[in-house]
Amino acid sequence: MTLRAVEAIAEADVVAYHSARHGRSIARSIAARHIRPDHVEEALVYPVTTETTDHPGGYQGAMDEFYEQAAARLAAHLDAGRTVAVLAEGDPLFYGSYMHMHKRLADRYPTEVVPGVTAMAAAAARLGTPLAEGDEVLTVLPGTLPEEELAARLAATDAAVVMKLGRTFPTVRRALERAGRLDEAHYVERATMPGERTADLASVDPGSVPYFAVALLPSRAGALLPGQDRAGRTNPADPMDAAAPADGSAAPGEVVVVGTGPAGPLWLTPESRGALAAADDLVGYATYLDRVPVRPGQRRHRTDNRVEAERAEFALDLARRGRRVAVVSGGDPGVFAMATAVLEASAQPEYDDVPVRVLPGVTAANAAAARAGAPLGHDYATISLSDRLKPWEVIAERLRAAATADLVLALYNPGSRSRTWQVARARELLLELRAPETPVVVARDIGGPDERVRVVPLVDLDPAEVDMRTLLIVGSTQTRTIPRPGTHPLAFTPRTYPAPTGESPPRDGAATAPDPA
């Protein structure tokens, strides 16, 4: 208890506290030695805790009615001129029962809230480990959230505290396992109180967990000394000497190919965010690595954008030495990006025992389409205009085939400093098969500081405004635009498609029925 809390109790005429029907109150037991015989005590007994209720409003109705009645009891003391101290374990405004009194009384009576030591602060102190350090993000979660929501948030954060365990413990444990973080999790029960217990969470019997217990994922950096990696090893100058020899005697780590989306953190999935935070080593093109926060203990290996095969083998070699490696890729790693290079390299016999996972990301095409409206609302084809890895003749053949099929086209890698003619050639080819007024979305640096989106007719597409940071979406014969004052038109491609001339549309409204997928 804080000194101010002790003073507040001494100054009060009435001491109020919540309890279950058995009458025992944790808050009162903490403050018991400061409660005098002349204090008027108000036990605010919950009508229901974990059991069922026959209240017509169900559990929430029963609790709302209880809080109204409890507030009225305290208001009667306040109206009589008495000072009321409401006891709350932990902090009154942090998942505390007092807040229900506060919302009902604080606007009517002078109120002071005395902050308290939270359960998570007490638990971290008992474990002797930092909760969060530097730029790490600490996430506080109620265990009552759905399992998938818990898993997503646990995967995405650096450090976490899960409150309200008890009956939620099995769900929380499964969520930690799904997030790949069960081995990091600690369990603390009744921190600083009689019956305190600490343990590795994975070893705890679910049937033994009370409500007043928390799960902690402490700081990953807090226990590291300068120069140590995530496993507590001192980082050598050469990362290839960081763990065990390359003769296969070391247990392999893992390679995770992570898609960061088209730009910054807003485009990153929780699963990818968690994989980046958990890695010992980050490998990737400098532009993509710069999107990932710097974390203590991690090594960052920057490579040129044109050495994908060498980058992939480097990552796999690190994993053979027991390292957890994240290969960082822009957009989705499986769309013209690093997943193929890593998997192709991993097919070599020496990497047979190295686990490889691919985590999806938001594609540049999806991001550009969302900014422009919904031009990819129907069938579309994705084609790279780069002829560095395939001949232009192949690209031209595919453009003609897709245009003849009346598919919307998402065109990646349209131009660069060394490739300046492909966009003009593609426009000429498409104008042979598409109307001049066909909408084209010109999307540059989506999600970045220089984002720019335009919708222009195909005939007006200017190759000079297209570079490697640009993605083009060429509409089909069905793509439409909606004028919008002060901004670019919105483009969309209807989900219905007209039947060929002379054919009847599908029966039973199938032509306009929602696609169940």
Side-chain angles (χ1 to χ4, degrees), residues 456-499:
V456 301
L458 176 60
V459 70
D460 293 336
L461 176 62
D462 181 4
E465 69 174 314
V466 176
D467 60 14
M468 276 296 289
R469 298 171 69 186
T470 304
L471 184 129
L472 302 175
I473 299 177
V474 182
S476 70
T477 60
Q478 303 303 305
T479 303
R480 302 288 181 263
T481 59
I482 307 171
R484 283 291 183 266
T487 186
H488 62 79
L490 294 179
F492 71 98
T493 303
R495 294 182 61 195
T496 57
Y497 199 88

Side-chain angles (χ1 to χ4, degrees), residues 388-406:
R388 192 168 66 85
L389 299 176
K390 63 180 183 288
W392 174 257
E393 291 75 18
V394 172
I395 298 172
E397 181 181 354
R398 292 177 178 178
L399 285 171
R400 289 191 184 93
T404 300
D406 199 24

Side-chain angles (χ1 to χ4, degrees), residues 419-431:
R419 295 188 299 104
T420 58
W421 54 269
Q422 281 88 345
V423 174
R425 191 73 60 83
R427 183 189 63 183
E428 293 171 6
L429 187 156
L430 291 172
L431 282 171

